[in-house]
Amino acid sequence: MRVTMKLAALAVMGAVAATSAVAYGGHGRWEGRGGAQPAAVGERLDALEAALKLQPAQAPAWGAFESTLLANAQERARLREAMPDRADREAMADFRVAMMKFNARAAEQANDARRALVATLSPEQRATFERFAHARGGPRHHHFGTPGHAPRDCPSWGGA
């Protein structure tokens, strides 16, 4: 039993760590606590895209990044809608395992898409990307990362 509990704890810690790196290399708050709704993720992606001022050659990497994050948010919302009654311990245990597996896959997919996008960015764009990665705030106060920081070059967050 102890080995099983240790493995379960390790799986939970791994899922949390993987989810922390989902979209922006370790900021941990792109989708917020429990996962933002797809519309909120879309709003943040729109703001980031505008701030990055992408060039046509960067469009494929951006498209892959954006579609990955939106698909993950949609699937997370779908899974949460199907969450069983918390009183049903067996069903909740199965649900938690399914969410951990999903989060691990989603983290890998998003990180791969993030890496591919960042590889296409100029140094200035990377700096903007990182400001978004470590910023907090935005529409409806969805948290992006470190408390008290907001992207300076994004009007929707009170930036220039």
Side-chain angles (χ1 to χ4, degrees):
M1 184 67 172
R2 282 190 136 166
V3 171
T4 304
M5 291 300 287
K6 286 181 182 178
L7 287 174
L10 185 59
V12 169
M13 290 171 33
V16 169
T19 304
S20 297
V22 167
Y24 288 111
H27 72 82
R29 299 285 181 175
W30 177 257
E31 292 180 341
R33 186 175 177 161
Q37 295 298 314
V41 172
E43 288 175 8
R44 290 190 300 267
L45 285 167
D46 290 345
L48 176 58
E49 182 179 20
L52 288 175
K53 299 176 181 126
L54 297 168
Q55 300 300 310
Q58 297 168 317
W62 173 260
F65 177 74
E66 181 179 45
S67 65
T68 298
L69 266 62
L70 287 172
N72 287 345
Q74 291 166 349
E75 180 64 12
R76 185 172 286 108
R78 189 193 66 72
L79 287 169
R80 286 192 169 282
E81 283 292 318
M83 184 170 71
D85 183 348
R86 291 181 185 267
D88 185 347
R89 291 180 183 252
E90 281 297 314
M92 278 304 294
D94 291 340
F95 174 76
R96 285 186 188 106
V97 169
M99 285 300 291
M100 283 186 243
K101 288 178 180 178
F102 165 76
N103 285 333
R105 280 191 312 273
E108 281 187 46
Q109 293 168 351
N111 196 41
D112 289 346
R114 179 198 57 80
R115 282 185 185 167
L117 173 63
V118 169
T120 70
L121 299 179
S122 69
E124 295 81 18
Q125 289 172 315
R126 284 182 187 171
T128 298
F129 190 89
E130 288 303 317
R131 279 195 301 276
F132 270 75
H134 298 291
R136 172 182 170 159
R140 295 192 305 269
H141 305 290
H142 290 289
H143 306 303
F144 275 54
T146 310
H149 298 290
R152 292 194 175 122
D153 56 353
C154 182
S156 67
W157 284 287

